[in-house]
Structure formats: structure tokens, C-alpha cells
Amino acid sequence: MVQSLGYLKETPSQTAGPYVHIGCTPNFADITGVYPSDLGSSMVNERTLGDRITVTGRVIDGAGSPLKDALVEVWQADASGLYNSPAEMRGTADPNFTGWGRCASDGQTGVYSFETIKPGRAPFRDGRKMAPHITFWIVARGINIGLHTRMYFPEEVEANAADPLLMRIEHRHRVLTMVATREGSVYNFDIHLQGEKETVFLDI
Amino acid sequence: MTDFSNRKPETGAFFPRDRGWHAPGLTPGYKTSVLRSPQKALLSLDGTISEITGPVFGHSMLGELDNDLIHNFAKSGESAIGERIIVHGRVLDERARPVPGALLEFWQANAGGRYRHKKESYLAPLDPNFGGCGRTITDENGFYSFRTIKPGPYPWPNGVNDWRPAHIHFSVFGHGFAQRLITQMYFEGDPMIWKCPIVATIPDRAAIEQLIAPLDWANTIPMDARAYKFDIVLRGRRSTLFENRMEGN
Ligand SMILES: [Fe+3]
């Protein structure tokens, strides 16, 4: 016998189920008086630096129907490309920007929405700059393990073309599944769980 | 921000996820997964700074009753109905090191198996003193605990006669967004665990057993509450020793 490495196994994921909002956005679920507000409901304040944007969209199932019970979380860099995290070693991020948001899909329309700022560029592992992007994590009833993906910005044509992650996508037409559409300061990013337009999900 | 200044922040990439240990996306026995599971291969990539960083939550955001589901929704002087229990444990990473400052959020049905939710249709009654949500943050050694009532099992529309075993849902934030995890805790000795299509999405029996909390008799408070222990393991990260320095470091 050799020595044991002593590693543990990760706790297995289980679906968030239909009542994830009770735990993660109780005020949204009409359970009031327990927490003053739902975590992640606000990412910015009046002093946050950067261009204000709205990121909105739906999570769509294999039959083309938007999920009305999804929970979407986003994580992104500040306007100068720094993350508001202790693991950010390159500098100090904008203290007026949390970088993290959480939103329940609307119970009627399935639309999620975040008021945020456009992120700056952060480096890939080898130092090349990544294109500006927002990291997404999606959970819902029927999703056994949370889905990671990214939203990129349509106006960043050159940066997107040189983005180390987007360049790794073998079927080039699928790159567009990670790029939002834009109307002014509003970015629309629909996430397709299945089908021809299936979003590229990440094992990262 | 919580300051654990005795420990340097870690910036290594996370160990790749053992996808065979987790449930696959498509699990037809759990019918909702059929239209909600990606069909194409995931794009695998070593974590970048976008995934090895993550939000951190400070203990100061917690209210006094956030980790007491028996009282945090109850009218003054009243308490939730049910078997009083304490759930406690540690959050560790795959290298068996404690994860301090991890935010845990939990939610559950009441003692009769009923959720406080407008889409809930089970005929068991609501408990006016039970909301069903709570949260806490691990201490510097990764420990956490909360007080609640044991949730009841409940039926759900999947097969003709499918029931969920008693369970508590957990959402966990570690130190990196790649560690983000939602899971469920079950109770030792419950025969319904092995009849549940959601539990059965996990292929490996040993992995399922990792979700079953044992009764912790030693920690039971006499005349008050029984204790259950539930440890949670998040992805480990490579030692910074083995990392190429990232640009700008
Ligand atoms: Fe449940």
C-alpha cells in the first residue's frame, strides 16, 4: 500500500428544486420579515464606477418555453477588470461594486434582469486579456448540477475574436450562444438549455 | 468582507470536477431533467480568475435569528411545530482543509412536509410560525450550526406515487465561484431515501451516502433538541506552489 493522498470527494450536487426561492430569495417568495432584503438584489450604488447597463433574458428549455422557476447568479469584474474578492491579487476592486448578483426568473414571463456595469478586461491564465464578460450560474428544478456559462458583449468584436475561451469553441457558430444582443444600454442574453441554439456551458 | 488575515488568500485553480460522482444532467427517472439538461458536451477549461475568485460574505450581515428556523418566522413568544433538531458540521475542501467564511443558505418544508410557497399544492397544513429559510456563515475553522425542526416527507408529481424523503436544501458559497454548490441533506435511517428519483439521479451509492447526516447523539441537548451532523465538501484548489504566476502577480 502507498500513502493515502487524503483527498475528500466533493459533496454531490442535487437539484435546487421548485422552492429554491424560499432559501435564496425569500422576500421574492413572499416570506418577509426574516431577512431585510434578498441577497444579490443590488450590485451597484450611486458611486459605482463604469458604464451602467441592464442585463436581461430568459432561461429556455428544450421545448422552447422559458423557465419560470430558475435562479440566475452573475459574477463579474468591475469597470477596470478587477474582482471584488480576496483572491484578487492584482489590486483592489471598486468598493462600490459587489460584482455578484442573484435574480429569480419572473414567475409569469421567466425574465431575469440585473442592473450592473460593463466589466473591464481580466487576464486569462497565460496573461492574454480575456474579452469583457459576465460569468453566469443557473440552477432550477430539473437541473441536477448548476450550469456555468459566460455572457460576452456584441460590440467587442475584436476582443471576442481573440478571447482565449471563445477561441476554444470548436463549432464556431456556437460562439454566438455566449454573446448577448444589444439595444442601447440593455443587453439581452437568453440561455438555451437544449436544442439548436443550446448555450455553450462550461466545465470550469 | 470577513478578514481571515492569518491565512493568505488562495489563487490556485480548482481541481477538475469529478462529473461521474455527480448526477448527470439527463436523468429520465426525474422527469423535469429531460427538457432541462444540456445535450452537448460541456466546454472544459482550467479555471481563470473569473472562476477562482468569488463573492465573500461577512458575519455582520447575519441577523440574530438567521440560523434559528424555529423562531425566525415565528410570532413573538411562539415557535415552529415539529421535532426540534440542530444541524451542524464543517465545510471542508477536497484537500480536507476547513473553508472559513462560507455562506450557507438552507430551506425546507415544515414538519408536515409543506412548503410556504404559492406553487405548493400538498394538502398538509402550513405552520403559521414556520417560514422555512435560514442562513449562516462558517467560522474560522469551517464550523457551522443551525436550529430547526425536522422537515416532513412530501409527495410530488413525477411518477404516480413519488415522495421526497425528509430533506434540507443547502446552497453553499466557498471562496471561488467555481465552488458554487446546491445540494440536499437527508436523515440517517430514512427508508424513503432509497425510493426517491431525485436521490437516484446520483449514480454512486457512496456519493448518496455523503448526503445522509448521521444522528449525533453526543451533541444532542437533553430535553431540547437532537443533533445531526452534516459535513460539506467543496472543490479543492491546487496549491499555489504548482501554479504558473499569472500576469501582473
Ligand atoms: Fe424539497
Side-chain angles (χ1 to χ4, degrees):
Chain A
M1 285 286 276
V2 300
Q3 292 185 8
S4 162
L5 281 167
Y7 291 148
L8 305 175
K9 296 300 289 181
E10 186 187 9
T11 296
S13 171
Q14 287 261 267
T15 179
Y19 307 122
V20 59
H21 307 116
I22 293 175
C24 293
T25 55
N27 291 286
F28 171 85
D30 297 327
I31 296 174
T32 54
V34 182
Y35 309 145
S37 63
D38 289 333
L39 270 192
S41 54
S42 166
M43 302 172 71
V44 295
N45 63 37
E46 322 76 61
R47 285 169 298 171
T48 306
L49 303 172
D51 294 335
R52 299 304 171 111
I53 61 170
T54 301
V55 174
T56 185
R58 298 164 302 166
V59 182
I60 297 167
D61 74 12
S65 302
L67 273 57
K68 293 162 185 166
D69 52 12
L71 185 78
V72 178
E73 289 185 1
V74 292
W75 172 240
Q76 64 166 96
D78 71 4
S80 58
L82 294 170
Y83 281 94
N84 189 353
S85 168
E88 173 59 88
M89 308 306 281
R90 297 169 299 140
T92 304
D94 181 355
N96 292 304
F97 183 59
T98 69
W100 176 73
R102 171 188 273 171
C103 184
S105 300
D106 183 90
Q108 309 293 319
T109 62
V111 172
Y112 73 82
S113 176
F114 295 96
E115 299 302 319
T116 182
I117 51 107
K118 185 171 172 184
R121 300 179 72 173
F124 192 61
R125 299 196 69 78
D126 58 8
R128 277 180 292 167
K129 279 211 179 310
M130 295 189 279
H133 63 271
I134 297 178
T135 295
F136 274 67
W137 190 70
I138 300 114
V139 292
R141 177 173 66 99
I143 296 177
N144 289 327
I145 180 164
L147 299 170
H148 285 275
T149 186
R150 286 182 180 182
M151 183 199 107
Y152 285 85
F153 293 82
E155 68 276 13
E156 298 282 346
V157 178
E158 273 176 45
N160 289 348
D163 181 80
L165 186 146
L166 292 179
M167 284 168 69
R168 289 277 290 270
I169 298 174
E170 185 183 346
H171 300 97
R172 299 308 297 164
H173 66 277
R174 297 195 67 209
V175 171
L176 281 178
T177 69
M178 297 181 89
V179 182
T181 57
R182 179 183 184 186
E183 268 178 71
S185 65
V186 179
Y187 292 86
N188 195 86
F189 186 54
D190 283 346
I191 294 151
H192 294 267
L193 299 177
Q194 295 183 347
E196 243 163 68
K197 291 189 272 185
E198 182 176 315
T199 302
V200 174
F201 295 105
L202 305 172
D203 177 25
I204 200 156
Chain B
M1 294 283 123
T2 311
D3 182 25
F4 297 100
S5 38
N6 57 342
R7 210 165 124 176
K8 264 201 195 151
E10 295 184 64
T11 55
F14 289 100
F15 295 169
R17 228 169 198 157
D18 180 354
R19 294 267 164 189
W21 186 247
H22 291 279
L26 177 62
T27 47
Y30 174 25
K31 292 181 181 176
T32 317
S33 75
V34 173
L35 283 175
R36 295 185 171 194
S37 46
Q39 295 169 327
K40 297 182 165 62
L42 305 180
L43 178 63
S44 293
L45 208 61
D46 213 8
T48 76
I49 191 156
S50 304
E51 295 82 26
I52 65 180
T53 55
V56 170
F57 303 91
H59 288 81
S60 61
M61 80 172 210
L62 297 175
E64 212 176 311
L65 294 178
D66 282 7
N67 65 346
D68 182 355
L69 283 73
I70 295 179
H71 295 109
N72 69 7
F73 191 79
K75 287 187 263 313
S76 170
E78 299 186 18
S79 56
I81 290 171
E83 301 175 31
R84 297 159 62 84
I85 60 169
I86 287 166
V87 177
H88 73 104
R90 289 180 96 182
V91 180
L92 304 165
D93 70 11
E94 286 170 297
R95 291 165 72 189
R97 298 181 312 170
V99 181
L103 171 68
L104 306 181
E105 297 164 286
F106 15 85
W107 63 100
Q108 62 169 84
N110 71 19
R114 171 78 183 261
Y115 281 97
R116 184 172 288 280
H117 195 280
K118 54 178 176 268
K119 283 194 189 150
E120 161 74 282
S121 58
Y122 184 30
L123 45 77
L126 281 171
D127 175 350
N129 288 312
F130 188 72
C133 64
R135 62 187 177 186
T136 189
I137 294 176
T138 57
D139 70 13
E140 63 275 16
N141 296 310
F143 286 101
Y144 76 91
S145 68
F146 63 95
R147 180 185 283 272
T148 186
I149 51 91
K150 191 175 178 197
Y154 58 85
W156 59 297
N158 185 64
V160 173
N161 186 30
D162 281 329
W163 291 68
R164 297 303 325 281
H167 62 279
I168 300 177
H169 297 263
F170 279 72
S171 163
V172 190
F173 284 85
H175 296 169
F177 207 57
Q179 288 177 308
R180 201 71 185 82
L181 181 73
I182 282 185
T183 189
Q184 303 182 28
M185 176 197 117
Y186 303 97
F187 292 84
E188 178 182 11
D190 185 349
M192 292 176 63
I193 294 169
W194 308 103
K195 299 183 186 302
C196 173
I198 287 179
V199 172
T201 61
I202 299 174
D204 190 321
R205 188 178 171 109
I208 293 171
E209 284 173 344
Q210 203 178 349
L211 299 180
I212 305 176
L215 176 65
D216 177 3
W217 196 248
N219 265 311
T220 287
I221 305 173
M223 307 303 285
D224 181 349
R226 288 170 304 148
Y228 283 88
K229 190 213 66 162
F230 186 55
D231 288 341
I232 295 167
V233 180
L234 301 179
R235 293 170 68 177
R237 64 203 317 167
R238 291 202 297 264
S239 166
T240 318
L241 234 57
F242 305 124
E243 294 293 309
N244 295 320
R245 276 178 178 276
M246 282 191 282
E247 193 82 350
N249 268 0

